[in-house]
Amino acid sequence: MSKVLYIKANIKPEGQSRTFRISDEFVESYKKQHPNDEVVVLDLYKEGIDFLRPEDLGVLFGPKTEESKKHPHLKYAYQFVEADKYIFAAPMWNLSIPAILKAYIDYISVTGITFKYTAEGPVGLCQNKKAIHIVTRGGEYKDMPYEMGDCYLRTILGFFGIEDIQTLAVDNTDSNPEGLEEILSQAIQQAQEIAVQF
């Protein structure tokens, strides 16, 4: 049995996110194929993820104990490292990821939990796990040098030791309004197919 962390990052009201239309179908297909797995939904806006404050630094860089697992910030890092698979559902915003997802990554990038420092350099503590990033983008961004969201997410996950990373990028959701439903329909079908082997 695997534990799957479904991380959602979009401020749009329920039913209006194109990204979530695709990622929710991915999750439903995944559940059908893996009925014994536990899927934990983490909606970052509902969680109220905020930016780190100076008073938070002590616990982030301090000793990691059983008591620290209960801290409202460190709980996210512990939750992350205890999962086996990750689904990131986040649209492209301003060539990158939504700010709330970056804030969440700041919460989980904790030495001694998701990575550690050694004499040979940093080592990720999330090996043998897998992730998928489901992202919608308004224009055509495939192979563009200024696409920084998926690039960043892949880099930080690799830093954590996660090497098996897939991206389901759905382009032209704003630039092709006439073909939007067909684009989304094809993306949902692709998501359902990927979910079988995820």
Side-chain angles (χ1 to χ4, degrees), residues 152-164:
Y152 170 73
L153 192 57
R154 285 175 162 272
T155 301
I156 194 69
L157 293 178
F159 182 76
F160 294 158
I162 303 168
E163 298 179 357
D164 186 349

Side-chain angles (χ1 to χ4, degrees), residues 11-45:
I11 198 172
K12 288 185 177 179
E14 192 70 31
Q16 293 187 22
S17 169
R18 299 162 182 166
T19 305
F20 291 171
R21 278 182 62 183
I22 300 163
S23 60
D24 286 346
E25 289 290 344
F26 178 95
V27 170
E28 287 307 307
S29 294
Y30 181 88
K31 288 179 178 178
K32 289 176 184 176
Q33 295 296 324
H34 307 85
N36 295 322
D37 287 4
E38 178 188 2
V39 178
V40 177
V41 179
L42 188 69
D43 188 315
L44 300 185
Y45 279 97

Side-chain angles (χ1 to χ4, degrees), residues 64 68 74 77-78 81 108 110-116 125-126:
K64 308 306 182 292
S68 71
L74 286 182
Y78 284 113
V81 78
I108 65 173
V110 182
T111 181
I113 301 179
T114 51
F115 72 98
K116 66 179 179 180
L125 300 177
C126 301

Side-chain angles (χ1 to χ4, degrees), residues 44 47-53 56 73 100 103-104 106-107:
L44 300 185
E47 287 290 312
I49 296 290
D50 197 1
F51 298 111
L52 294 174
R53 309 294 181 195
D56 301 324
H73 292 340
I100 199 167
Y104 170 74
D106 289 343
Y107 278 44

Side-chain angles (χ1 to χ4, degrees), residues 21-23 25-27 29-30 132 134 168 185-196 198:
R21 278 182 62 183
I22 300 163
S23 60
E25 289 290 344
F26 178 95
V27 170
S29 294
Y30 181 88
I132 184 168
I134 299 173
L168 175 53
S185 177
Q186 291 177 355
I188 287 170
Q189 182 177 350
Q190 188 179 359
Q192 292 169 334
E193 292 170 356
I194 295 172
V196 174
F198 185 69

Side-chain angles (χ1 to χ4, degrees), residues 137-139 171-183:
R137 306 186 293 211
D171 283 342
N172 299 308
T173 57
D174 288 328
S175 63
N176 184 11
E178 296 82 4
L180 176 60
E181 286 305 315
E182 182 179 352
I183 290 171

